[in-house]
Amino acid sequence: MRDDGSVVNRQAPERLSEQALAAFGSVDGARPLGLYLHVPFCATRCGYCDFNTYTAGELGSSSSPQSWMEGVRRELDTAAALLSPTREVSTVFVGGGTPSLLGGEGLAELLGAVRDSFDLAPGAEVTTESNPESTSPEFFGRLREAGFTRISLGMQSAAPHVLSVLERTHTPGRALQAAREAVDAGFEHLNLDLIYGTPGESDADLAASIDAVLSVPVDHVSAYALIVEDGTAFARKVRRGEVPMPDDDVLAARYEMLDARLSAAGLTWYEVSNWALPQPDSACRHNEAYWRSDDWWGIGPGAHSHVNGVRWWNQKHPATYSASLAEGRLPVGGQEMLSAEDVHTEAVMLRLRMRDGLPAAMLDDAERARADVAVVAGLLVVESGAYVLTDRGRLLADGVVRDILD
């Protein structure tokens, strides 16, 4: 029973297999658990984005933030009922979409819904993504009061013409101002996102973006190469020849620039696309849980989950998602039970991306022999019993993984 007196439905939902439900119940209650909450709303759609997001015009009257929130509360209650009652939530991550469109009060309500269903572990990390244009000093103050501990701002670039190509609506200066407002509100952990390799971006543009990021007191930077995703407006422009595909050699050179400049400023890589200051909690614990294949439950339309070898994903449209939950069912769009081979393959793929490296003990004899070949080739080094990517290896990480698993 919830604090408000309403009854939680503890019957098994209809859309997950009995095998999956049995796997939930066999997890050690002390094992870390993360929650990802997907906010599917955006004011406009960026041309490069293929995330499960919707503008008001695309949704029409079929869904609303209110009906979405009702669905989220129901899914949180069901998740808590299916998992061990002793499991505390170690990390919460609110992503999107544009979570900041909910405003400070809306995000505070969302975190309150989490607390209605789950106990947060002492020192839990609570993060939200935010678009600089939909934030303010009051917004950050309300989040801090509500219990959020990290802010991740989508900056992308400091060059106006690059933002224009990406169809981002914020101005470069607003992202920096928002970062300072977050710090002034008391946030000690602040991330800025960059995208590099956008057509028309120069070395000088990226250098200026890095300088801008380092001009504010961030302790974490994420930087991702622009990927042309099928079905996006950007992909259609590439297909029509209006913009060129990002060049692999340019992307490699830009990555090397990022790594050198961020490292010189004291931020060290802890995952191929992420850098943080070497101090407690600067690295994002929620993302580390993904790379270590820990347990997380994805709440919201299209969200993906992984618990004890079970992976599933929710129905994508907010209206369908909320309707399924209103009918007493989890809104499962599909599921898979991971085999031992699947688990091993994913562990190699993900752990090798991390600065801690891939423990040699996780590999069989043939895989260790192939990893040793990569060591000789200068792509890996062995540190404390783990294979770790070298600077050159990070540029070729996917190929290194394929060679080890071959």
Side-chain angles (χ1 to χ4, degrees):
M1 180 174 292
R2 289 173 51 180
D3 291 342
D4 61 6
S6 60
V7 176
V8 176
N9 179 6
R10 295 187 180 273
Q11 294 182 344
E14 301 172 14
R15 299 291 293 277
L16 280 173
S17 68
E18 291 299 324
Q19 186 181 8
L21 296 172
F24 294 168
S26 64
V27 183
D28 180 354
R31 184 173 172 176
L33 173 68
L35 289 179
Y36 170 77
L37 297 106
H38 186 67
V39 181
F41 311 113
C42 279
T44 60
R45 181 178 295 280
C46 300
Y48 65 91
C49 179
D50 73 335
F51 293 169
N52 186 44
T53 62
Y54 304 84
T55 64
E58 290 168 338
L59 283 175
S61 60
S62 65
S63 184
S64 67
Q66 291 73 31
S67 62
W68 164 81
M69 181 66 82
E70 291 170 4
V72 164
R73 286 186 176 277
R74 291 187 175 105
E75 188 177 5
L76 284 166
D77 280 349
T78 305
L82 289 173
L83 297 173
S84 167
T86 63
R87 293 196 76 177
E88 296 178 321
V89 171
S90 302
T91 64
V92 178
F93 194 103
V94 184
T98 309
S100 48
L101 285 180
L102 298 178
E105 288 300 327
L107 285 169
E109 180 184 355
L110 184 60
L111 184 54
V114 170
R115 290 195 175 102
D116 285 344
S117 300
F118 287 93
D119 291 328
L120 297 187
E125 177 190 86
V126 184
T127 308
T128 185
E129 297 177 336
S130 298
N131 185 318
E133 289 295 335
S134 49
T135 64
S136 66
E138 294 75 21
F139 169 85
F140 292 119
R142 183 66 184 97
L143 294 189
R144 196 73 189 93
E145 179 186 14
F148 283 84
T149 65
R150 295 178 66 95
I151 298 292
S152 181
L153 290 166
M155 177 176 169
Q156 282 69 53
S157 175
H161 67 277
V162 173
L163 293 176
S164 178
V165 172
L166 295 173
E167 299 181 14
R168 297 289 295 183
T169 58
H170 67 267
T171 60
R174 177 56 204 154
L176 303 177
Q177 182 182 359
R180 296 186 184 98
E181 291 169 356
V183 171
D184 289 345
F187 282 97
E188 298 178 3
H189 304 299
L190 175 64
N191 174 67
L192 284 175
D193 276 352
L194 291 174
I195 292 177
Y196 61 94
T198 303
E201 179 191 62
S202 66
D203 288 347
D205 290 331
L206 181 57
S209 295
I210 300 169
D211 287 342
V213 166
L214 296 176
S215 72
V216 293
V218 298
D219 67 339
H220 189 290
V221 176
S222 301
Y224 303 100
L226 179 65
I227 297 175
V228 180
E229 302 284 2
D230 290 340
T232 63
F234 196 86
R236 291 189 289 273
K237 289 181 179 180
V238 169
R239 190 169 57 248
R240 293 193 297 263
E242 296 174 14
V243 294
M245 282 281 290
D247 181 89
D248 288 342
D249 290 338
V250 170
L251 294 178
R254 299 277 163 78
Y255 180 87
E256 290 175 328
M257 178 195 295
L258 275 157
D259 186 54
R261 299 284 295 275
L262 294 175
S263 296
L267 289 92
T268 58
W269 76 282
Y270 71 96
E271 190 274 342
V272 168
S273 299
N274 291 271
W275 292 258
L277 291 177
Q279 60 190 33
D281 294 329
S282 284
C284 180
R285 284 190 277 137
H286 186 85
N287 285 340
E288 287 181 317
Y290 292 154
W291 299 318
R292 293 195 173 103
S293 299
D294 289 344
D295 290 347
W296 74 89
W297 194 300
I299 303 289
H304 285 232
S305 303
H306 171 266
V307 175
N308 198 24
V310 184
R311 179 185 290 121
W312 72 98
W313 46 95
N314 284 347
Q315 295 161 337
K316 295 182 70 172
H317 198 279
T320 307
Y321 164 83
S322 297
S324 293
L325 285 156
E327 295 167 2
R329 295 182 289 109
L330 275 177
V332 178
Q335 74 166 65
E336 57 183 339
M337 303 292 297
L338 300 181
S339 66
E341 182 180 358
D342 294 331
V343 171
H344 177 71
T345 297
E346 292 193 1
V348 173
M349 291 173 59
L350 297 173
R351 293 294 290 269
L352 198 63
R353 294 182 60 87
M354 300 182 70
R355 180 62 183 83
D356 292 346
L358 172 66
M362 295 179 66
L363 302 178
D364 62 29
D365 291 343
E367 290 169 336
R368 278 194 294 273
R370 291 192 288 268
D372 288 338
V373 171
V375 171
V376 174
L379 302 175
L380 293 173
V381 294
V382 179
E383 297 179 359
S384 303
Y387 291 102
V388 179
L389 290 167
T390 63
D391 291 348
R392 180 166 169 259
R394 277 186 278 161
L395 298 174
L396 303 169
D398 291 343
V400 175
V401 169
R402 286 194 298 269
D403 288 345
I404 292 174
L405 293 171
D406 186 15

